[in-house]
Amino acid sequence: MSDIHELIVTVDLREGLSEQQLTELRWHLGLGPQPAHLTVVTDFPCVVVDDDGIPRIENEPRPLLAGSGPAWRTTGALCSALAARDGLPGGGWALTSRTEIHPDEAEEVGALLGWIAEHAQDTLRRGDGTVRLGHYRASEDPEPSALESRDGRINLAEALLPRSR
């Protein structure tokens, strides 16, 4: 059984994102360079072993939805797009991303998805506050599950990190 999960994010974001937020979002999608200062997701813990053989945790920022090219464990291609919704109702931004993630990335990806949910257009918000963000599935599962945010919690992160329940 593989630990790799397919993640498909399809969401429209509200107008009013700052240039800093858009720059950081583009970086996470693999569409631009890393900004000098990160504000959306700031913690990227990575265990490294120093010259004395002692493990320590360092912060190693990396784009979280930047998959591209052929999928490694799922089928099809990995890609991301961010397009202005100029002239469309509500304006803002259209975001689509298809990538593969490992449970080790669930916390950071969950933080980014939580930020995306906070900025989703109100038309995507249901009466109970749930925001539908897309779909996810384990690479061997034939059917995807809904990717949702509710009360600041991302169901994908909860599924991949049982301790977060």
Side-chain angles (χ1 to χ4, degrees):
M1 181 177 211
S2 172
D3 286 341
I4 300 299
H5 285 69
E6 173 187 49
L7 175 63
I8 299 173
V9 180
T10 54
V11 65
D12 292 331
L13 303 173
R14 293 188 303 268
E15 290 181 316
L17 295 178
S18 70
E19 271 309 308
Q20 167 64 30
Q21 291 170 321
L22 287 169
T23 298
E24 190 167 345
L25 183 56
R26 284 185 187 104
W27 172 67
H28 277 297
L29 297 171
L31 303 174
Q34 179 179 344
H37 181 67
L38 299 176
T39 61
V40 175
V41 179
T42 58
D43 294 323
F44 297 84
C46 180
V47 176
V48 296
V49 178
D50 67 17
D51 293 339
D52 296 323
I54 299 171
R56 68 176 192 278
I57 296 176
E58 290 188 357
N59 193 33
E60 292 189 11
R62 65 193 177 287
L64 298 170
L65 302 177
S68 64
W72 182 61
R73 297 293 302 207
T74 59
T75 59
L78 308 178
C79 55
S80 292
L82 182 66
R85 291 177 39 87
D86 295 338
L88 294 174
W93 299 88
L95 183 156
T96 298
S97 181
R98 180 177 187 268
T99 194
E100 294 175 323
I101 68 164
H102 187 276
D104 290 349
E105 301 170 291
E107 205 164 321
E108 294 86 6
V109 171
L112 177 58
L113 293 173
W115 181 89
I116 289 170
E118 288 175 19
H119 293 86
Q121 287 199 3
D122 291 335
T123 56
L124 300 176
R125 206 168 305 281
R126 290 188 253 166
D128 65 358
T130 300
V131 178
R132 174 72 59 93
L133 300 171
H135 298 89
Y136 72 94
R137 70 177 181 91
S139 62
E140 58 279 323
D141 288 345
E143 298 296 322
S145 298
L147 175 63
E148 297 178 330
S149 171
R150 184 170 185 198
D151 298 328
R153 299 176 74 164
I154 304 297
N155 63 341
L156 168 68
E158 292 178 350
L160 297 183
L161 296 170
R163 69 181 184 276
S164 68
R165 292 181 189 154

